[in-house]
C-alpha cells in the first residue's frame, strides 16, 4: 500500500470517483489552483471555479444533485458555510422527507475545519455538531489518510447529503497556506499518524457511521473524532503509565453515530470521556450522553470540548482546544470518582 | 475645499510602515495565522477615512489595519493584539482579521461580504441615535459577488441609509481573477440599485479624497448611500507567503513541489481526456503569467504617487516621523508582550 499525506488521500479518492463516474463534478472558490491536479486531469467542466457566492453555489449543488449530477461542493472553510445555511438546513435536508422519499440529494459538501494554528475564531471552528443537528445530513470527519480516502468515496457514493470535513492540522497544504506560509518560524502540534499513512490502491470505501476501535482498554472509554482521536491516543499513553487502561474510539462521523460500538464500550468500562473539538453545548458530546442514557447505561461521564469562541492568541487557543493535559486531567478525575 | 496633501501623505506613510512592521513580525513567527496586508490600499484608506469624524463608523474586511491606523487607533494596543497579547486591542481574542475598536465604532470580519450589512447596521443606528453621522463599509471586488453584500446595497437604498460602500478592486480574490467569475460591471451593478456610484483610481489619494468627500457629504445630509469603486494593486499577494507569488520567489523549490503531481495528472486515467490536458495546464499557466506581469511590471505604488505631490523636505520629515512612531509602537508592544509572558 502506498503512503500518502492526508490531503493526497482525499484528492486521490475524489479523482478515482471522477474517473469512474462522469456525473461527479466539483466546484468552489479557487479550485483551479486548490485542486490543480484534478483540474489538469479533468478540465474546467468537471473542476469549476466559483465566485464568492456560497449561498448560490451551495444551493445550486443541491439542485444539481436533485437533477442527476453528483456534485462535490467546496466551501473552503466550514465557518463560511454560515452564509449558505439555507442550502443545507431547508433544502438539502428536506428534499427526501418532503418528496415522501421519492427524491434524494446525492451531494457532498467538502470543507476544511478545525484549529491549532492561530487563525482566530472565524476560521477554526468545527461545527460538526451544528451540521449534524440537521435531519437527513451525514457528517464525516476522517482522522487519517486511509479513512480520508475511504470516507470520501462513501460520501460520493451516498444517495443523501454528506458534509465531509477535512481537519487543517492534518491537511498539510491548508496548514501551510493558513498557518505556515512557508516561514520556518512557526510550528504546530501535528499528529503524525493522522497526517500521513498508508492508503489502499484502489481506495476502499469506509462506511459512514461505522466507528473504529483504536485502542482497547477496560477502565475508561475515550470517544473522539478528527485530531481529537490523536490527542486521546497520546493521553491514553500517559494514563497507561498510571495504570489506567483506556479504550479509544474514533467515531469517524459525527452523524450518524455508531451507537453499537459506543454503547458496548461504555457498558464495558463504565466511564466515558468525550473529547470534542467542537463547541461543548448542544452538540456531539451531549448527543453521546443521550445515546448512552437512552440505552440504559449508567456510566460516569465527562467531556473535554471547546467551551466558547476560539481565541486568536496561540497561548489562549491552546487552552480552549482540547489538549492532552486537559484530557488526562479529566480522565484522572473520572477514574478517581471526582466531579 | 482642497485636499491637505501633507496630512494624506502622513496617513499613508503611517499605514505603510505599520504594514511593513506587521510583515516583519509575521515573518518572525510572532504573528500567527494568515496575514492579509493592505499594502497598495493606503490611498483608499487614507482618502476615505480623512472625511470621518467622531461618531462615524467603520465596517472592515480582512485587510482592516489600514483604515484603523488612518482612523487613529492607538498603535501599541494594535500591535499587542497582533502578537496575541492579553493587553491588546481585543485582549488577544480577535487577531488581525477580527479587530474591534468600540471607541471608534470600528469592526472587522474575516467573513467575506459581511462588512456591508454590518455597516448598514451602523448607518441605521446613526439614523436614530446620531443623525448626521455616517458608516463606511470597506470590501473587495471579490466580495461584491456575496449575496449579503448585494442585499445590503438594496437595503441601503430602500432605507436611505447614511452609508458609503467602498469597493477596493485589486482584480483578484485569492487565486481567482475576479472578472472570470463576475457578471457585468460592478459600477453599473451598484447604479442599478439606485445609488450614485463612481470609479476612482485608488492609487491616487487626491482622487479618492475628492470622490469620498462627495459620497460622505451625501450620506451625512441623509440624501443617499453611495458606492465607490477604487482600483488598487495587491502588492503582497493575497496573504503573506502567498503560494502563487512563491512560484516567482522560489521557482526551483516550487517547481519541484508542484511539478511531479501535475505531470502525474497529465498522464493519468481517463486517457480520452489526454489531448485536452495541455490546454488545462495552459489555463493554470495563464493565471500565473497574468499575476507575474501585474506584479512585476504594472503595479503602481500609491505611496510613491502621493510622495510626488508633497515637497521633498516635507516628505522626508513625515517619513521619518511616521517611521519613528511605528518603530516606537512596535518596540513598546514587544517589550510589554515580553514582560507579560
Ligand atoms: C464567506 C467567505 N467565503 C470565503 C472566504 C475566504 N476568502 C478570504 S479572502 C477571500 C478573497 C476576497 O477577495 P476580495 O473581496 O476581492 O478581497 P481581497 O482579498 O482581494 O482584498 C476569500 C475567498 C471567506 N473568508 N469568507
Ligand atoms: Mg480582490
Amino acid at each position: 500500500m502506498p503512503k500518502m499525506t492526508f490531503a493526497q488521500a482525499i484528492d486521490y479518492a475524489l479523482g478515482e470517483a471522477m474517473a469512474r463516474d462522469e456525473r461527479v463534478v466539483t466546484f468552489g472558490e479557487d479550485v483551479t489552483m486548490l485542486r490543480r491536479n484534478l483540474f489538469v486531469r479533468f478540465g474546467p467542466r468537471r473542476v469549476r471555479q466559483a465566485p464568492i457566492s456560497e449561498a448560490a453555489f451551495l444551493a445550486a449543488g443541491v439542485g444539481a444533485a436533485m437533477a442527476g449530477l453528483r456534485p462535490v461542493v467546496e466551501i473552503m472553510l466550514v465557518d463560511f458555510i454560515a452564509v449558505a445555511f439555507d442550502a443545507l438546513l431547508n433544502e438539502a435536508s428536506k428534499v427526501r422527507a418532503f418528496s415522501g422519499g421519492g427524491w434524494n440529494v446525492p451531494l457532498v459538501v467538502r470543507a476544511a475545519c478545525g484549529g491549532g494554528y492561530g487563525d482566530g475564531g472565524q476560521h477554526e471552528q468545527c461545527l460538526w455538531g451544528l451540521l449534524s443537528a440537521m435531519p437527513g445530513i451525514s457528517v464525516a470527519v476522517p482522522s487519517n489518510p486511509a479513512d480520508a480516502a475511504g470516507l470520501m468515496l462513501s460520501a460520493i457514493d451516498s444517495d443523501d447529503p454528506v458534509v465531509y470535513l477535512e481537519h487543517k492540522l492534518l491537511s498539510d497544504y491548508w496548514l501551510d497556506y493558513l498557518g505556515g506560509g512557508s516561514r520556518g518560524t512557526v510550528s504546530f502540534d501535528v499528529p503524525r499518524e493522522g497526517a500521513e499513512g498508508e492508503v489502499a490502491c484502489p481506495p476502499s470505501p469506509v462506511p459512514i457511521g461505522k466507528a473504529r476501535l483504536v485502542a482497547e482498554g477496560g477502565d475508561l472509554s475515550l470517544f473522539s473524532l478528527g485530531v481529537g482521536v490523536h490527542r486521546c491516543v497520546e493521553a491514553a499513553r500517559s494514563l497507561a503509565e498510571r495504570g489506567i487502561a483506556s479504550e479509544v474510539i474514533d467515531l469517524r462521523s459525527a452523524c450518524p453515530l455508531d451507537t453499537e460500538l459506543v454503547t458496548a464500550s461504555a457498558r464495558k468500562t463504565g466511564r466515558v470521556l468525550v473529547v470534542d473539538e467542537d463547541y461543548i453545548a448542544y452538540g456531539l458530546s451531549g448527543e453521546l450522553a443521550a445515546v448512552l442514557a437512552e440505552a440504559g447505561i449508567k456510566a460516569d461521564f465527562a467531556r473535554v470540548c471547546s467551551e466558547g469562541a476560539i481565541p486568536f492568541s496561540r497561548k489562549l487557543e491552546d487552552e480552549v482546544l482540547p489538549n492532552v493535559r486537559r484530557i488526562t486531567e479529566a480522565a484522572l478525575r473520572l477514574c478517581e470518582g471526582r466531579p | 475645499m482642497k485636499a491637505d496633501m501633507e496630512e494624506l501623505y502622513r496617513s499613508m506613510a503611517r499605514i505603510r510602515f505599520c504594514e511593513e512592521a506587521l510583515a516583519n513580525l509575521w515573518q518572525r513567527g510572532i504573528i500567527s495565522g494568515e496575514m492579509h496586508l493592505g499594502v497598495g490600499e493606503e490611498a483608499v484608506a487614507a482618502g476615505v477615512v480623512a472625511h470621518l469624524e467622531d461618531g462615524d463608523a467603520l465596517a472592515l474586511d480582512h485587510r482592516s489595519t489600514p483604515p484603523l491606523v488612518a482612523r487613529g487607533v492607538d498603535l501599541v494596543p494594535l500591535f499587542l493584539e497582533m502578537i496575541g497579547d492579553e493587553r491588546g486591542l481585543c485582549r488577544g481574542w480577535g487577531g488581525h482579521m477580527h479587530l474591534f475598536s468600540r471607541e471608534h465604532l470600528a469592526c472587522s470580519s474575516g467573513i467575506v461580504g459581511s462588512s456591508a450589512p454590518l455597516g448598514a447596521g451602523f448607518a441605521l443606528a446613526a439614523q436614530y441615535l446620531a443623525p448626521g453621522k455616517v458608516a463606511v463599509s470597506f470590501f473587495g471586488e471579490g466580495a461584491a459577488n456575496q449575496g449579503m453584500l448585494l442585499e445590503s446595497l438594496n437595503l441601503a437604498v430602500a432605507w436611505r441609509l447614511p452609508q458609503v460602500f467602498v469597493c477596493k478592486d485589486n482584480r483578484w480574490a485569492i487565486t481567482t481573477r475576479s472578472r472570470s467569475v463576475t457578471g457585468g460591471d460592478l459600477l453599473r451593478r451598484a447604479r442599478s440599485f439606485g445609488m450614485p456610484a463612481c470609479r476612482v483610481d485608488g492609487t491616487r489619494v487626491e482622487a479618492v479624497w475628492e470622490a469620498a468627500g462627495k459620497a460622505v457629504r451625501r450620506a451625512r445630509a441623509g440624501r443617499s448611500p453611495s458606492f465607490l469603486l477604487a482600483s488598487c494593486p495587491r502588492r503582497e499577494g493575497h496573504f503573506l507567503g502567498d503560494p502563487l507569488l512563491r512560484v516567482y520567489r522560489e521557482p526551483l523549490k516550487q517547481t519541484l513541489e508542484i511539478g511531479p503531481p501535475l505531470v502525474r495528472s497529465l498522464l493519468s486515467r481517463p486517457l480520452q481526456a489526454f489531448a485536452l490536458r495541455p490546454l488545462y495546464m495552459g489555463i493554470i499557466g495563464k493565471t500565473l503569467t497574468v499575476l507575474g506581469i501585474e506584479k512585476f511590471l504594472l503595479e503602481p505604488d500609491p505611496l510613491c504617487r502621493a510622495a510626488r505631490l508633497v515637497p521633498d523636505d516635507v516628505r522626508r520629515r513625515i517619513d521619518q516621523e511616521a517611521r519613528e512612531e511605528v518603530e516606537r509602537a512596535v518596540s513598546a508592544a514587544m517589550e510589554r508582550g515580553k514582560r507579560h509572558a
Side-chain angles (χ1 to χ4, degrees):
Chain A
M1 282 201 289
K3 265 204 157 175
M4 284 187 201
T5 65
F6 187 84
Q8 281 165 346
I10 301 172
D11 283 1
Y12 171 54
L14 177 54
E16 289 306 292
M18 289 177 77
R20 208 176 55 198
D21 185 345
E22 285 279 332
R23 297 169 305 167
V24 179
V25 298
T26 187
F27 48 88
E29 291 148 32
D30 297 292
V31 288
T32 305
M33 290 295 167
L34 279 175
R35 307 290 155 238
R36 57 181 173 270
N37 297 319
L38 295 173
F39 180 79
V40 162
R41 186 168 165 193
F42 297 103
R45 242 176 90 85
R46 308 279 304 279
V47 180
R48 186 186 281 248
Q49 197 96 314
I52 310 174
S53 310
E54 290 91 352
F57 73 74
L58 184 53
V62 178
M66 292 171 70
L69 284 179
R70 300 189 86 89
V72 177
V73 181
E74 277 216 33
I75 300 289
M76 217 169 250
L77 306 188
V78 72
D79 315 67
F80 311 155
I81 218 166
V83 308
F85 227 45
D86 175 67
L88 286 183
L89 179 63
N90 283 321
E91 315 303 336
S93 108
K94 301 298 191 297
V95 172
R96 195 182 268 281
F98 288 178
S99 65
W103 210 348
N104 60 308
V105 183
L107 167 77
V108 180
V109 184
R110 171 185 182 173
C113 73
Y117 60 98
D119 213 12
Q122 278 179 344
H123 285 65
E124 295 198 333
Q125 299 168 96
C126 290
L127 304 185
W128 49 62
L130 190 67
L131 295 165
S132 295
M134 295 186 247
I137 292 183
S138 306
V139 182
V141 189
S143 71
N144 60 60
D147 286 357
L151 287 170
M152 178 49 91
L153 280 186
S154 298
I156 294 171
D157 285 343
S158 165
D159 286 330
D160 291 296
V162 178
V163 179
Y164 179 99
L165 297 177
E166 167 182 0
H167 201 292
K168 279 164 279 169
L169 275 197
L170 301 177
S171 262
D172 49 1
Y173 68 106
W174 277 126
L175 191 58
D176 176 51
Y177 290 172
L178 306 180
S182 78
R183 0 169 222 180
T185 46
V186 284
S187 59
F188 311 103
D189 189 4
V190 176
R192 196 166 311 159
E193 300 88 84
E196 201 173 9
E198 291 183 339
V199 177
C201 186
S204 45
V206 169
I208 298 171
K210 199 106 197 77
R212 181 172 69 99
L213 186 62
V214 182
E216 268 186 87
D219 297 328
L220 163 77
S221 301
L222 298 171
F223 298 155
S224 192
L225 35 58
V227 163
V229 173
H230 303 282
R231 305 287 186 244
C232 286
V233 169
E234 213 181 317
R237 253 183 245 129
S238 78
L239 290 168
E241 283 164 21
R242 299 171 203 232
I244 297 170
S246 327
E247 183 142 297
V248 180
I249 287 179
D250 178 354
L251 298 167
R252 299 206 281 204
S253 56
C255 172
L257 282 173
D258 188 341
T259 49
E260 213 171 297
L261 192 61
V262 163
T263 48
S265 178
R267 200 167 273 130
K268 181 173 89 178
T269 63
R271 294 190 191 96
V272 170
L273 178 63
V274 180
V275 174
D276 181 8
E277 193 182 324
D278 199 4
Y279 299 124
I280 191 165
Y282 305 93
L284 175 63
S285 57
E287 187 62 29
L288 280 163
V291 164
L292 299 179
E294 282 169 355
I297 295 169
K298 296 209 168 19
D300 293 335
F301 183 89
R303 43 190 179 164
V304 174
C305 309
S306 294
E307 306 212 346
I310 303 165
F312 162 73
S313 148
R314 278 301 293 278
K315 204 171 77 191
L316 297 174
E317 178 191 13
D318 281 346
E319 283 310 302
V320 167
L321 301 180
N323 58 35
V324 175
R325 184 188 53 77
R326 278 174 62 202
I327 298 169
T328 314
E329 284 173 7
L332 288 174
R333 276 197 304 272
L334 256 188
C335 290
E336 288 160 11
R338 286 184 283 142
Chain B
M1 217 171 55
K2 245 181 84 69
D4 181 343
M5 270 315 297
E6 279 185 39
E7 272 319 297
L8 288 174
Y9 180 78
R10 180 188 303 281
S11 178
M12 290 175 68
R14 291 177 74 245
I15 294 170
R16 172 66 60 89
F17 298 148
C18 281
E19 299 297 280
E20 287 175 354
L22 291 173
N24 178 277
L25 292 170
W26 182 87
Q27 203 66 50
R28 287 158 60 198
I30 297 167
I31 296 177
S32 69
E34 300 163 75
M35 185 71 234
H36 312 87
L37 290 187
V39 175
E41 299 183 355
E42 296 88 349
V44 184
V48 171
V49 172
H51 296 283
L52 301 188
E53 55 186 47
D54 277 357
D56 290 341
L58 273 176
L60 306 169
D61 68 1
H62 53 290
R63 302 186 200 279
S64 58
T65 39
L68 292 177
V69 170
R71 194 75 183 91
V73 168
D74 265 356
L75 297 188
V76 177
L78 188 69
F79 282 113
L80 276 169
E81 183 60 29
M82 296 303 219
I83 66 179
D85 189 273
E86 282 156 36
R87 278 145 325 146
L89 188 62
C90 311
R91 303 185 179 208
W93 279 76
H96 101 275
M97 276 187 281
H98 324 107
L99 293 168
F100 291 80
S101 176
R102 188 171 189 168
E103 179 193 344
H104 297 91
L105 263 177
C107 70
S108 54
S109 173
I111 301 303
V112 168
S114 67
S115 61
L118 289 172
F122 283 147
L124 178 69
Q127 279 182 340
Y128 292 90
L129 305 174
K133 301 301 178 192
V134 304
V136 179
S137 295
F138 281 88
F139 53 88
E141 86 299 329
N145 288 324
Q146 184 65 279
M148 63 177 140
L149 193 139
L150 296 168
E151 292 175 20
S152 303
L153 294 176
N154 184 57
L155 192 70
V157 172
W159 286 355
R160 216 197 272 199
L161 296 176
Q163 186 176 10
V164 179
F165 296 89
V166 181
C167 181
K168 304 162 292 166
D169 180 6
N170 59 15
R171 299 186 295 278
W172 290 88
I174 313 190
T175 67
T176 303
R177 291 282 290 167
S178 287
R179 203 180 338 151
S180 70
V181 289
T182 302
D185 165 89
L186 291 187
L187 209 59
R188 288 229 293 272
R189 193 186 278 185
R191 281 186 190 134
S192 75
F193 282 99
M195 73 172 80
C198 79
R199 191 187 299 278
V200 60
D201 181 346
T203 65
R204 298 193 183 278
V205 68
E206 68 288 2
V208 175
W209 184 85
E210 185 83 40
K214 283 187 198 142
V216 170
R217 281 193 294 278
R218 200 177 289 132
R220 257 195 227 301
R223 286 205 302 277
S224 160
S226 317
F227 189 93
L228 219 60
L229 183 62
S231 55
C232 57
R234 193 179 76 167
R235 293 180 63 90
E236 282 302 324
H238 176 65
F239 43 33
L240 290 173
D242 185 315
L244 290 190
L245 282 185
R246 268 190 239 168
V247 174
Y248 285 95
R249 289 181 172 158
E250 37 183 40
L252 190 67
K253 184 161 173 265
Q254 288 298 311
T255 311
L256 289 177
E257 258 177 45
I258 296 170
L262 276 180
V263 172
R264 271 199 298 282
S265 296
L266 271 175
L267 302 174
S268 62
R269 288 177 307 117
L271 287 174
Q272 55 282 31
F274 191 70
L276 288 170
R277 287 194 186 134
L279 191 78
Y280 305 156
M281 197 77 152
I283 294 176
I284 292 183
K286 189 177 151 208
T287 306
L288 278 170
T289 311
V290 172
L291 181 96
I293 292 174
E294 279 189 6
K295 173 87 202 118
F296 298 104
L297 300 176
L298 299 178
E299 274 186 356
D301 184 342
L303 196 65
C304 293
R305 288 197 160 163
R308 281 185 225 127
L309 303 177
V310 184
D312 251 2
D313 54 326
V314 177
R315 179 187 54 79
R316 268 195 296 273
R317 196 192 70 231
I318 294 175
D319 276 349
Q320 193 185 345
E321 286 167 3
R323 208 179 280 284
E324 281 172 9
E325 182 198 354
V326 172
E327 273 167 17
R328 267 198 312 277
V330 173
S331 316
M334 292 297 289
E335 196 50 45
R336 270 197 237 174
K338 233 185 276 148
R339 235 184 298 149
H340 199 61

